[in-house]
Amino acid sequence: MACVCCESVVIFLLLALGFSGVVCNGGDSALSERSSRSLLQNGLGMTPPMGWNSWNHFQCDINENIIKETADALVSTGFKDLGYEYVNIDDCWGEFKRAENGKLVPNASTFPSGIKALADYVHSKGLKLGIYSDAGYYTCAKAQPGSLGYEQLDADTFAEWEVDYLKYDNCNTDGSKPEARYPIMRDALLKTGRPIFYSLCEWGVDQPATWGGKVGNSWRTTKDINNTWDSISSRADLNNRWADYAGPGGWNDPDMLEVGNGNVSREEYRSHFSLWALMKAPLLIGCDVRSMSSGTRDILGNAEVIAVNQDPLGVQGKKVTKYKQLEVWAGPLSDNRVAVILWNRSETRAMITALWEKIGLDPEEEVKVRNLWKHRTEAGTHKGKLTASVKPHAVKMYILTKIHQ
Ligand code: GLA
């Protein structure tokens, strides 16, 4: 496609993305697709959101102390400084009935101080607070009130509480299409005047990648993840299908991270985190950050992998080669760099090769190779291909930088 993207590029630049000189390359379908989107105008999500969410580890067993202690832990572990900023309460924070004035009410025994006090606490730590509601009559887990029919009142309440992020689920609806229901809350949130990150959680049922950019800052592309290798791997595949629809302002969401929840090996969790980072997925931690092992910290705290996720170019990396269970995933980064993952999904150690022509490099291009898990720049330069031996269920992840720019 020719450079029809220029007008939108100007808009992106005005949105302070700061990556002039890398966008108008015309031949990249992802960029062309992205630049013709009309984005939700709340200015949020210019890079994928980072933070924590209560659901994967705690499900309904939550209270305000857990939220506060999690905020404390994000600060004390240094994770806040790495970019993890949202502290998101999932389902089960509310009373079963609305107040007489129709407002949602925090559960009196588990959130006795109320959500505004919690927001104040979280903000005092330099973090942001997220909350959960549902685009139906009741939420998913315990049938607390949903926001259908109460969108403006609930959006106003969230804004009054100084909430910064809304995850909006899709249970117990009136049967209408998500594409019709989700914009109602978008408009209500915009009307409050408070910038609230809008996370669409309709599990990919209505192909939200095709309309989500106009409605939300992220959209789930899959049903719920669970803490198993199969679930994690299959979510990566499902999310990959929609890669061309992601970009600054709106991201595909293959669900929250399971890293640190046990039962899955360290190599598998490393694969999980690497793929989510490359796919520009929201990096929402799903374990108990108050008691993370050092192994979990090393994975979630890998600043070099996080930097791939937060790269200002904002192009979702994709699966580019598959030979049996050996795969290469790759995507462009700012400053003409390329991120590459060699992923061994098989049960035995194997050699995997990334060919330049498959990952967007000229075969003659000479590059320096940075290994993001070893934190090591490899000796010498590479031309044409990169081959490595990869353990079962493991990844190797690299950034390739051209020698001659
Ligand atoms: C749905 C969502 C999950 C979680 C639960 C809460 O299943 O997809 O992420 O929010 O509801 O009940």
Side-chain angles (χ1 to χ4, degrees), residues 50 77-84 257 259 270 273 283 285 287 289 292-307 372-373 375:
M50 291 177 64
T77 52
F79 275 27
K80 172 186 165 248
D81 294 336
L82 284 169
Y84 293 103
L257 297 164
V259 179
R270 238 187 230 150
F273 193 63
L283 295 183
I285 298 171
C287 70
V289 290
M292 280 184 294
S293 68
S294 60
T296 297
R297 273 195 207 203
D298 286 350
I299 295 174
L300 296 171
N302 185 328
E304 298 197 61
V305 174
I306 291 172
L372 306 191
W373 285 109
H375 302 294

Side-chain angles (χ1 to χ4, degrees), residues 8-21:
S8 308
V9 167
V10 172
I11 294 168
F12 280 138
L13 291 174
L14 287 175
L15 285 169
L17 285 176
F19 56 89
S20 59

Side-chain angles (χ1 to χ4, degrees), residues 300-361:
L300 296 171
N302 185 328
E304 298 197 61
V305 174
I306 291 172
V308 170
N309 181 259
Q310 296 292 302
D311 185 76
L313 186 60
V315 175
Q316 179 172 333
K318 307 177 193 184
K319 187 186 306 201
V320 293
T321 334
K322 175 176 159 61
Y323 172 71
K324 295 186 177 162
Q325 288 179 292
L326 310 179
E327 298 182 359
V328 178
W329 293 54
L333 298 175
S334 57
D335 299 327
N336 288 316
R337 296 166 305 145
V338 177
V340 182
I341 290 177
L342 309 180
W343 187 18
N344 180 359
R345 302 174 73 157
S346 81
E347 305 302 324
T348 48
R349 192 181 256 281
M351 301 298 281
I352 305 182
T353 296
L355 295 173
W356 273 202
E357 64 249 38
K358 297 283 186 185
I359 61 172
L361 287 173

Side-chain angles (χ1 to χ4, degrees), residues 153-225:
L153 178 61
D154 291 352
D156 289 342
T157 305
F158 298 146
E160 185 187 307
W161 290 343
E162 297 186 21
V163 161
D164 306 294
Y165 184 116
L166 174 67
K167 172 175 172 179
Y168 206 43
D169 219 334
N170 193 35
C171 284
N172 307 304
T173 71
D174 58 3
S176 62
K177 283 168 86 73
E179 193 173 354
R181 251 175 305 114
Y182 278 72
I184 305 172
M185 181 55 93
R186 169 201 58 194
D187 295 342
L189 291 171
L190 285 174
K191 214 165 154 199
T192 68
R194 183 175 176 82
I196 297 179
F197 188 103
Y198 187 28
S199 152
L200 317 182
C201 180
E202 58 82 279
W203 323 303
V205 294
D206 204 11
Q207 308 202 330
T210 62
W211 50 269
K214 284 182 277 191
V215 180
N217 300 110
S218 67
W219 45 88
R220 280 272 297 274
T221 54
T222 71
K223 297 223 163 69
D224 288 9
I225 196 166

